[in-house]
Amino acid sequence: ALEKETLARLHELASSVAADVGAHSDQVQKINTELTEGDQTSDAVLDAMAKLIEANERMQQQLDSAENQIEEQAKQMQSFEAQARTDALTGIANRRAFDDFTRRQQSEFTRHGRPVTVMMLDVDKFKKFNDTYGHQAGDEVLKGVAEVLTEAMRDIDLVARYGGEEFSVVFPGEKVQDCGGAAERARAAIEAATFHHEGTTLKVTASFGLAELRQEESIAETIKRADAALYAAKEAGRNNAHWHDGEESHPVVFGAPAVPTAIQPEPTAVAVEVAEPAPPTQAAEPTAPTQTQPEPVGVEPAVVELAAVETPTSSDEAIAPEPAPSAEAAKDEASVSDRDVFVSDVHRRVAERKR
């Protein structure tokens, strides 16, 4: 309703400006006719000029007024747009702003390959919390969680209320393995926070799920995978974070997504047995060298190599005579000196001519 009202005012203002411009044009045309066809005396010309100046000043005032009204309407439109993209309860971005932002991030990923990670989080056992403390207490908790999340994230990250007790964070330019620390930081901050309502101190926890946008995947599918990781976190006992690799969910460990155990296999007994040295009885006995047997080659390889790469000392370099300048080099130096003298002489003569 407010948007329609603003548009109606803009149409009315545009019509008014058009009418004022038309009236001004008619008046200027009338003055021009008086100058060309009427009395040509100096008094008549001065009178026509006065009328023209007055008409221009009146038109300028009308244009200034219209400009001020347009600026006011533009501010109202911006305010309406901000309200339409802001959650009324928490003051952070709402679902509409989240959808617009993620669509833009998918476009950046498609055109430039810029990564983006989505994190979904849910206040644990919030329905039971509302049933116990009431919906007004629940609203205070939601506002507090939104504030904690905003403080824990970067300025470029979008923190939004996705719906109900579910929130979302979008990390532009970040891979999922780089977002585990932010998830753990937010989880710990929510767990440590205290909220107050009517003299009662309240505490909650939250569960988190992360997923990174993949090739040939829509952002809606990424959000779905982040939700799957969130439910895995709840199944694992709540108050933790999981991430989805495209196939299944894994816990976030030590502030970063844990690598699946299939990629990091545990050492087996077979590997330990293979690593043990073979019994000495199975090794061949070395034969003792005879007096006629030649000594092994390269007994002192370090000495040989050092002698091979021996370089001149600094003192040798210091006493090495420098080559004397050739006759051509001396001639070039003299030529440069002559050019400098010539340029200086030209500047002096130009200065004398100016004097």
Side-chain angles (χ1 to χ4, degrees):
L2 291 175
E3 293 181 354
K4 291 182 178 179
E5 181 181 352
T6 302
L7 288 174
R9 289 179 180 177
L10 287 174
H11 285 304
E12 181 180 353
L13 179 60
S15 300
S16 175
V17 170
D20 292 338
V21 171
H24 177 266
S25 178
D26 293 341
Q27 189 170 5
V28 170
Q29 183 62 38
K30 182 179 178 181
I31 296 172
N32 184 55
T33 302
E34 292 178 358
L35 287 172
T36 56
E37 300 178 1
D39 190 357
Q40 299 293 323
T41 63
S42 59
D43 290 341
V45 172
L46 289 175
D47 184 59
M49 292 295 297
K51 292 179 180 178
L52 183 60
I53 292 174
E54 181 182 359
N56 287 336
E57 289 178 348
R58 184 165 53 252
M59 186 71 236
Q60 186 61 51
Q61 292 175 357
Q62 293 170 340
L63 289 176
D64 290 342
S65 176
E67 183 179 1
N68 292 334
Q69 293 182 52
I70 290 175
E71 289 180 356
E72 182 180 351
Q73 298 298 324
K75 291 179 181 179
Q76 289 184 2
M77 289 293 292
Q78 292 176 354
S79 176
F80 297 154
E81 177 67 16
Q83 292 176 12
R85 300 169 62 86
T86 303
D87 179 63
L89 176 64
T90 61
I92 61 176
N94 60 10
R95 176 66 178 274
R96 175 182 175 181
F98 172 83
D99 290 341
D100 291 344
F101 190 77
T102 51
R103 278 194 294 267
R104 291 197 301 271
Q105 294 306 310
Q106 180 167 19
S107 177
E108 287 289 316
F109 176 78
T110 302
R111 290 185 298 172
H112 307 296
R114 188 180 188 221
V116 57
T117 296
V118 176
M119 181 172 73
M120 308 297 292
L121 61 133
D122 190 271
V123 179
D124 295 328
K125 300 181 179 180
F126 191 69
K127 184 179 183 305
K128 182 178 179 181
F129 181 93
N130 274 341
D131 293 341
T132 303
Y133 298 102
H135 289 278
Q136 290 184 346
D139 289 347
E140 291 299 321
V141 166
L142 292 178
K143 289 190 287 186
V145 168
E147 183 177 351
V148 171
L149 273 178
T150 302
E151 292 177 354
M153 299 302 152
R154 306 172 301 174
D155 291 339
I156 64 172
D157 302 329
L158 178 75
V159 179
R161 185 183 179 193
Y162 195 75
E165 69 272 20
E166 191 170 12
F167 295 83
S168 58
V169 180
V170 184
F171 300 97
E174 297 291 340
K175 291 183 171 294
V176 66
Q177 59 263 34
D178 300 325
C179 300
E184 173 58 24
R185 186 168 61 249
R187 185 207 63 78
I190 292 174
E191 182 182 27
T194 56
F195 311 103
H196 304 279
H197 177 68
E198 295 182 350
T200 303
T201 300
L202 308 170
K203 292 181 70 68
V204 295
T205 60
S207 301
F208 298 75
L210 298 97
E212 179 185 344
L213 179 62
R214 297 163 60 89
Q215 293 286 351
E216 307 300 330
E217 180 182 60
S218 69
I219 195 66
E221 292 171 321
T222 306
I223 296 169
K224 185 176 180 180
R225 288 194 297 110
D227 261 330
L230 168 60
Y231 292 133
K234 287 187 174 294
E235 289 293 327
R238 298 182 175 87
N239 192 26
N240 66 85
H242 276 61
W243 69 287
H244 200 283
D245 64 1
E247 299 294 335
E248 56 184 354
S249 298
H250 309 278
V252 172
V253 181
F254 301 118
V259 178
T261 54
I263 301 177
Q264 293 182 338
E266 294 291 335
T268 61
V270 176
V272 175
E273 184 177 350
V274 172
E276 292 180 358
T281 56
Q282 297 179 2
E285 292 292 336
T287 59
T290 63
Q291 294 181 354
T292 59
Q293 186 177 6
E295 293 183 0
V297 178
V299 175
E300 298 180 356
V303 176
V304 175
E305 290 185 5
L306 287 174
V309 297
E310 184 176 355
T311 57
T313 63
S314 59
S315 60
D316 295 336
E317 295 176 353
I319 63 176
E322 296 183 358
S326 63
E328 293 182 359
K331 182 178 179 180
D332 291 340
E333 291 180 0
S335 176
V336 172
S337 177
D338 292 341
R339 284 197 299 271
D340 292 341
V341 173
F342 175 75
V343 172
S344 177
D345 187 52
V346 169
H347 284 298
R348 180 178 58 77
R349 295 192 180 193
V350 170
E352 290 177 353
R353 291 178 63 88
K354 288 182 178 180
R355 289 198 295 266

